[in-house]
Amino acid sequence: LGLPRVFSFCLFLHSSSAQIRYSIPEELTRGAFVGNIAKDLGTDVAKLAAANLQVLSDSDSQYFSVNVNTGVIMVSERIDREQLCGQNPRCFLHLKLAIENPVEFYRIEVEILDINDNPPEFPSDEVSLRIYELASLGARFPIQPAQDPDVGTNTLQTYHLSANDNFNLNVKARTDGGKFPELVLERALDREFRAFHYLVLTAEDGGSPPQSSKIRITIQVLDANDNHPVFDRPSYGARLVENSPLGTLVVKLNATDVDEGPNGDIRYSLSSHNSAALRQIFAIDEQTGEIRVQGNLDFEEATVYEIEVEAKDMGSPTMEEHCSVVVEITDVNDNAPEIVLTSVSSPVQEDATPGTVIALIGVKDSDSGDNGQVHLQIAKELPFKLVSSFKEHFSLVTNGPLDREKASGYNITVRAVDSGSPQRATQKTFYLRIADVNDNAPNFSSPFDTAHVQENSLPGTSVFSVSASDPDEGSNAKLSYSILDNGMQDVPISTYFRIDQDNGTIYTVRALDYEQDKVFQVPVEVKDAGSPALSSTAVVHVFVLDENDNAPNIVYPSVPKGSAFHQAIPALAEPGYLITKIVAVDADSGHNAWLSYQLQETTEDLPFQVERRSGEIRLAQALRESEDSHRLVVEVRDNGTPSLSASVVIVISPEETSVQDFSKSLDLPQSSPKDTNLTLYLIISLVSISIVSCVMFALAAARCLKAGNASWTFRGCCRGTGRKPTSHFRGQMKPDGFIKYLDVGGAGLTSQAQNYTSCFSPMSDQSDFLFVKPFSHSSTAETVAAYEQVTSTLASPCDGQAQPNTDWRFSQTQRPGTSGSQNGEEAGAWPNNQFDTEMLQAMILASANEAADGNSTLGGGNGTMGLSARYGPQFTLQHVPDYRQNVYIPGSNATLTNAAGKRDAKNAAPAGGNKKKSGKKEKK
């Protein structure tokens, strides 16, 4: 490096130790040569290596490394003298070495020499000074000195200041060698001329080459209040309209002050020369100089205002300036009309006649001339109008009908407009309430309702709730419900039902009996509490639902309770022989009236069987000659839930010569000649009606063919125009489509005219006429539905073109099965509900004519119950329960079952005789 290297030996008391000193500059690179210890100690390098040279750990060994093979000491890490020794003039590092054979210690001292590697540095790159512009000459302002970590001549030596007109540089030296700069004011400052001065101070050290650094000095000249405010004009003018709104800007003043800060901060104010009244009208913003209106400007009071204003700065001492502002006032239409409600009549009845006075209204305007002329207005869509009574007074009257239900009140806005330019207007709104009158009757949600109730329900059972509404209010809308007795029932309806007058809920008064009454027509009236009261009515059709509350009643054989019925049969009767027939009826309907017959189980094997559906008792196997009489218990059970039953004891005795016709025990009264004539008249009437109907159907068919309908059919039975029953089907589908009502009166009938059902079939070989029970007030809508199902199923009797359907069958849910397959035993199913049962009953009734003329096959094993093959060859007595007992023949007390039973009994003996004869032939 071109620097001298110095080393020396220092011998201690023991010859085994020595000290060597080296000098090197700082900042040498890693691997730089420091010294050769073998050369400096005068020792052979090989001998030094054999002596196991070691560097001891308690020395500054991290900065140096020793090559034991060459004895050379090198720099192993950067050395910064300023970091190691700071401002000390001299800086040393120590290295301790040891060798063996013999053991010797060496202490090496390395002096680190300073180089000029650091320039002088100021604490910051920039410094700011604030100097009052009136500061005295010679004032001194110290500057923070620069720092140089180097020592000796390499450290800071001097300062230099850039050229300027106001300041000089003075450097102060301390006893420790430190140097401090300071600025000295040589010329007076003027902020308005130059507010800022920018200087540069340079610090320089004595190294070779020298290093330096600079700092920028910013001097801000602080203001002094040496200037007063100045307005941009000596006086100001403005023009305002009277009654200008508060806050209206009159004028904005502008004054300036060349000083700054508080010395240039101006405050505006009204001069004390202004009157107190003027101070109430105008106000000035002390910071912005805006003069605004804060009171009422009235042209009639003053036309011109002159305002004195002063501007002051915030310096010390304060300096001020004055000016004047002239404000001219312009007259305008500044008064709006005023509306005064003298009186209001509220509420007003909704039935008030047109022209009724509602309110008295007065107006006034403080202006004069056209500005004081006022006109009143209201909305055109309101049912009111304004009528001028006299000057500045008006009446508000009705101009049309009022309806509280459409509008319960009106917000009436009255608007007053003057004739000024521009016009001024004002308005006032008041609420007029419309009082209610009872002009609306209550209204049911539906004029007809349908309800269902189970028979035998406890009194007080809720049946239905009717609901009505009344658009009126108050007592006019307070509703009460009641049940009317319209005389259409045999017994007052109030004995069956009652109604809650408050909520319209209908309750039963007593238990209902489906077998007695099937449907009720309950007229309900709702009435409001207005004066006069208004009312409306509705009809609730209450249908009674059947319950299995009647056990079967055995009609034949009729024996006292606890007794047995005795029947004799031929001893040689063959299997299948018809012994007798059990006839039973059930007052219930639907499933509850389906009856089945069966023998009670016994320990002995009886040679008899009972047809499950027909109740016929037949011989199952030939009787043995030794057999005596047999005791059978036949049980009749309905299909209700729970099922009810009845039983009869029959004692069958075989006799050798006895052939008994059990039908003789049935007493069938004969019809009187009068009944025969009545039947003839009825048949003639119905045939006539049928012919007329067929002609009408033919005309309709021709019209359809003309219209291009290639395929059409007529369905349904003949429809007549018989008298309708006292109805429970008002507003509903009526049974006229299937049933024709005729008025029949005469001996053997009740005094009142009764209604009978009739139907003719042009496909029959003979005229069919059917009598059924009168259609009473208890007939149900379900029966009507059942009849219409039959109508839709059977071919139309009046349609001459229709051919019988030879493949007619019941649907899966309607087809009756055999007696061995019902209720889980059969593949078929019983009718599912009361409607299907009624339909089946109606089909059975359609064959009543065969019962009347003696051609019935009701007693036969394969009889069709009066239904010919065209109504379904598969429909036999083996599949359908016997309901002929429900068919009523006018003029007699017998049923079709009784009549059929006698004929069956008459035919039984010949049948038995034939069988006996055939048996004898077989023996031969």
Side-chain angles (χ1 to χ4, degrees):
L1 296 175
L3 296 177
R5 186 172 290 107
V6 180
F7 63 90
S8 62
F9 292 94
C10 295
L11 299 177
F12 294 90
L13 293 178
H14 302 280
S15 60
S16 60
S17 63
Q19 178 172 317
I20 302 174
R21 176 177 295 173
Y22 298 99
S23 296
I24 63 172
E26 64 175 330
E27 303 292 343
L28 289 178
T29 60
R30 184 176 297 177
F33 177 80
V34 177
N36 191 328
I37 189 173
K39 181 180 178 182
D40 294 337
L41 291 177
T43 305
D44 185 20
V45 175
K47 181 180 179 181
L48 188 63
N52 193 15
L53 178 64
Q54 296 181 1
V55 180
L56 300 181
S57 60
D58 60 346
S59 60
D60 297 323
S61 58
Q62 69 270 25
Y63 295 101
F64 305 100
S65 63
V66 180
N67 190 332
V68 297
N69 295 322
T70 62
V72 176
I73 301 176
M74 296 175 292
V75 176
S76 61
E77 189 175 339
R78 175 181 173 271
I79 300 174
D80 187 354
R81 194 200 68 81
E82 288 78 22
Q83 184 178 0
L84 293 173
C85 301
Q87 294 294 322
N88 291 331
R90 303 189 70 180
C91 182
F92 296 95
L93 293 177
H94 301 87
L95 187 64
K96 295 180 181 180
L97 303 176
I99 61 175
E100 299 176 356
N101 299 321
V103 177
E104 292 182 355
F105 294 95
Y106 301 98
R107 185 174 185 273
I108 299 174
E109 186 179 78
V110 182
E111 182 181 6
I112 308 301
L113 301 178
D114 181 49
I115 64 173
N116 192 20
D117 58 343
N118 294 287
E121 290 186 0
F122 288 97
S124 61
D125 294 335
E126 185 175 356
V127 65
S128 297
L129 299 178
R130 302 179 65 180
I131 303 176
Y132 192 55
E133 71 173 322
L134 299 180
S136 60
L137 299 178
R140 296 174 181 271
F141 306 96
I143 305 298
Q144 289 185 348
Q147 301 294 330
D148 192 338
D150 294 329
V151 295
T153 59
N154 294 329
T155 189
L156 175 65
Q157 298 296 324
T158 184
Y159 292 95
H160 304 284
L161 182 64
S162 61
N164 67 92
D165 296 334
N166 299 92
F167 297 93
N168 286 329
L169 177 62
N170 180 50
V171 179
K172 295 176 63 176
R174 293 190 308 188
T175 57
D176 59 356
K179 296 177 176 62
F180 295 89
E182 58 185 11
L183 298 179
V184 180
L185 182 60
E186 296 290 340
R187 186 176 180 179
L189 301 173
D190 187 355
R191 192 204 64 80
E192 288 72 30
F193 176 74
R194 180 179 292 176
F196 291 91
H197 296 264
Y198 300 98
L199 306 177
V200 176
L201 180 63
T202 303
E204 187 176 284
D205 60 19
S208 179
Q211 297 195 57
S212 64
S213 63
K214 297 180 180 181
I215 183 172
R216 293 186 300 274
I217 302 175
T218 300
I219 299 174
Q220 179 183 4
V221 181
L222 300 180
D223 183 51
N225 192 21
D226 53 352
N227 296 281
H228 62 78
V230 177
F231 284 100
D232 57 359
R233 66 180 70 174
S235 64
Y236 297 83
R239 187 184 298 273
L240 294 176
V241 296
E242 65 170 330
N243 295 324
S244 295
L246 301 182
T248 300
L249 178 65
V250 179
V251 68
K252 182 176 181 180
L253 306 180
N254 183 30
T256 58
D257 192 329
V258 296
D259 293 329
E260 70 171 2
N263 299 326
D265 190 6
I266 300 175
R267 296 291 184 267
Y268 300 91
S269 62
L270 299 180
S271 175
S272 59
H273 298 158
N274 297 307
S275 64
L278 187 143
R279 290 174 178 272
Q280 296 294 326
I281 298 175
F282 300 99
I284 188 171
D285 190 307
E286 64 174 6
Q287 293 186 355
T288 63
E290 294 179 348
I291 299 178
R292 295 184 179 273
V293 177
Q294 70 171 2
N296 183 33
L297 295 177
D298 193 347
F299 179 82
E300 288 72 25
E301 293 182 4
T303 59
V304 177
Y305 294 94
E306 187 171 354
I307 307 171
E308 295 293 334
V309 181
E310 63 182 15
K312 296 180 180 180
D313 62 23
M314 303 303 293
S316 180
T318 300
M319 304 185 74
E320 63 182 33
E321 185 67 21
H322 298 267
C323 76
S324 62
V325 179
V326 177
V327 181
E328 297 182 1
I329 307 301
T330 301
D331 187 26
V332 294
N333 182 21
D334 57 343
N335 292 293
E338 182 180 352
I339 300 175
V340 179
L341 288 176
T342 304
S343 64
V344 178
S345 178
S346 180
V348 61
Q349 296 288 332
E350 64 175 321
D351 58 350
T353 59
T356 301
V357 177
I358 303 301
L360 297 178
I361 305 173
V363 295
K364 61 181 180 178
D365 194 327
S366 300
D367 293 328
S368 58
D370 291 339
N371 296 336
Q373 296 294 328
V374 181
H375 305 280
L376 283 184
Q377 303 170 354
I378 61 172
K380 294 182 179 180
E381 62 271 12
L382 295 177
F384 308 101
K385 66 178 180 179
L386 289 167
V387 178
S388 178
S389 301
F390 49 92
K391 185 179 180 180
E392 297 183 346
H393 288 82
F394 299 85
S395 297
L396 180 66
V397 300
T398 56
N399 192 34
L402 304 178
D403 190 349
R404 190 206 64 81
E405 287 70 37
K406 293 182 178 179
S408 60
Y410 296 90
N411 283 313
I412 303 175
T413 300
V414 180
R415 189 169 186 266
V417 182
D418 62 20
S419 301
S421 179
Q423 288 183 333
R424 294 184 65 86
T426 188
Q427 64 184 26
K428 178 171 288 189
T429 302
F430 64 94
Y431 182 76
L432 178 65
R433 187 168 64 88
I434 306 301
D436 184 53
V437 297
N438 193 24
D439 57 346
N440 291 280
N443 184 29
F444 281 98
S445 57
S446 173
F448 299 97
D449 284 303
T450 301
H452 298 82
V453 62
Q454 196 76 27
E455 73 166 324
N456 299 324
S457 297
L458 294 176
T461 300
S462 174
V463 177
F464 190 74
S465 291
V466 295
S467 176
S469 60
D470 193 325
D472 294 325
E473 67 176 0
S475 60
N476 297 330
K478 185 177 181 181
L479 306 180
S480 61
Y481 300 87
S482 61
I483 295 178
L484 300 177
D485 279 328
N486 54 7
M488 299 180 65
Q489 314 285 346
D490 296 338
V491 180
I493 197 68
S494 59
T495 62
Y496 293 95
F497 303 97
R498 66 177 179 85
I499 190 170
D500 190 307
Q501 65 175 0
D502 295 325
N503 57 29
T505 302
I506 300 175
Y507 300 93
T508 57
V509 174
R510 62 183 182 183
L512 304 179
D513 189 355
Y514 173 84
E515 288 71 35
Q516 180 180 353
D517 299 288
K518 294 180 174 58
V519 65
F520 294 90
Q521 182 174 286
V522 182
V524 178
E525 180 186 54
V526 61
K527 183 182 296 185
D528 60 28
S531 179
L534 301 178
S535 63
S536 296
T537 58
V539 176
V540 180
H541 295 90
V542 181
F543 292 89
V544 182
L545 303 179
D546 184 39
E547 188 177 77
N548 192 26
D549 56 346
N550 293 281
N553 180 28
I554 298 176
V555 178
Y556 178 83
S558 177
V559 296
K561 187 175 183 180
S563 301
F565 175 74
H566 294 269
Q567 178 69 43
I569 64 173
L572 300 178
E574 297 181 352
Y577 177 79
L578 177 62
I579 300 172
T580 186
K581 180 181 177 69
I582 307 300
V583 180
V585 296
D586 194 321
D588 293 321
S589 298
H591 278 277
N592 299 329
W594 284 97
L595 303 181
S596 61
Y597 303 83
Q598 61 185 7
L599 291 175
Q600 286 188 356
E601 295 183 358
T602 59
T603 56
E604 60 177 325
D605 186 14
L606 298 176
F608 306 100
Q609 65 179 12
V610 176
E611 292 293 336
R612 183 178 178 85
R613 300 305 173 209
S614 64
E616 296 175 349
I617 302 177
R618 295 181 180 273
L619 188 64
Q621 61 188 17
L623 300 176
R624 294 188 294 270
E625 294 181 0
S626 61
E627 285 184 324
D628 200 355
S629 62
H630 297 273
R631 186 176 184 274
L632 283 68
V633 178
V634 180
E635 183 183 55
V636 183
R637 183 174 296 275
D638 60 25
N639 194 45
T641 302
S643 178
L644 302 178
S645 64
S647 61
V648 62
V649 178
I650 300 177
V651 178
I652 301 176
S653 303
E655 297 180 2
E656 290 293 335
T657 59
S658 173
V659 179
Q660 179 180 354
D661 186 358
F662 69 87
S663 64
K664 293 181 180 180
S665 62
L666 297 178
D667 184 14
L668 180 62
Q670 301 296 325
S671 300
S672 65
K674 182 181 294 185
D675 293 338
T676 304
N677 294 335
L678 174 63
T679 301
L680 178 62
Y681 297 153
L682 291 176
I683 292 175
I684 294 174
S685 300
L686 292 177
V687 168
S688 302
I689 295 174
S690 299
I691 293 173
V692 174
S693 300
C694 290
V695 171
M696 294 178 64
F697 280 125
L699 293 176
R703 180 171 297 181
C704 292
L705 290 176
K706 288 181 181 180
N709 295 330
S711 174
W712 55 275
T713 58
F714 288 107
R715 298 184 181 274
C717 288
C718 303
R719 303 180 183 270
T721 57
R723 183 178 63 85
K724 298 180 181 180
T726 304
S727 174
H728 290 261
F729 297 95
R730 182 182 307 163
Q732 305 181 25
M733 179 181 64
K734 299 181 174 56
D736 302 16
F738 183 80
I739 302 175
K740 182 176 295 180
Y741 300 96
L742 301 176
D743 292 340
V744 182
L749 302 180
T750 59
S751 60
Q752 296 180 351
Q754 302 186 33
N755 302 324
Y756 297 93
T757 304
S758 62
C759 184
F760 293 89
S761 172
M763 294 186 294
S764 302
D765 296 335
Q766 57 187 353
S767 298
D768 297 339
F769 184 75
L770 175 65
F771 289 102
V772 298
K773 293 182 180 180
F775 187 84
S776 67
H777 71 275
S778 62
S779 299
T780 64
E782 288 90 337
T783 305
V784 177
Y787 286 147
E788 293 193 350
Q789 292 183 32
V790 175
T791 304
S792 64
T793 304
L794 302 179
S796 174
C798 296
D799 186 2
Q801 302 295 328
Q803 297 299 325
N805 182 4
T806 58
D807 192 26
W808 180 87
R809 292 176 174 85
F810 285 104
S811 67
Q812 185 64 29
T813 57
Q814 295 173 332
R815 182 185 299 118
T818 61
S819 61
S821 61
Q822 297 293 336
N823 296 333
E825 305 171 5
E826 304 168 329
W830 287 79
N832 287 335
N833 50 49
Q834 175 181 337
F835 307 140
D836 297 343
T837 303
E838 295 290 351
M839 182 185 73
L840 190 58
Q841 290 175 346
M843 294 174 59
I844 297 172
L845 297 180
S847 63
N849 61 308
E850 296 189 21
D853 61 12
N855 296 326
S856 173
T857 57
L858 290 173
N862 295 321
T864 60
M865 297 177 63
L867 297 178
S868 61
R870 65 180 175 270
Y871 292 123
Q874 298 179 3
F875 187 75
T876 66
L877 275 177
Q878 293 180 348
H879 300 81
V880 182
D882 191 353
Y883 282 90
R884 292 167 292 168
Q885 63 272 8
N886 291 332
V887 181
Y888 171 71
I889 301 177
S892 68
N893 296 324
T895 63
L896 291 181
T897 304
N898 299 32
K902 288 188 175 183
R903 283 191 295 274
D904 291 343
K906 290 179 181 180
N907 296 331
N914 292 337
K915 292 180 180 179
K916 186 174 181 181
K917 292 178 181 180
S918 61
K920 291 181 179 180
K921 290 180 180 180
E922 290 175 0
K923 289 182 180 179
K924 292 180 181 180

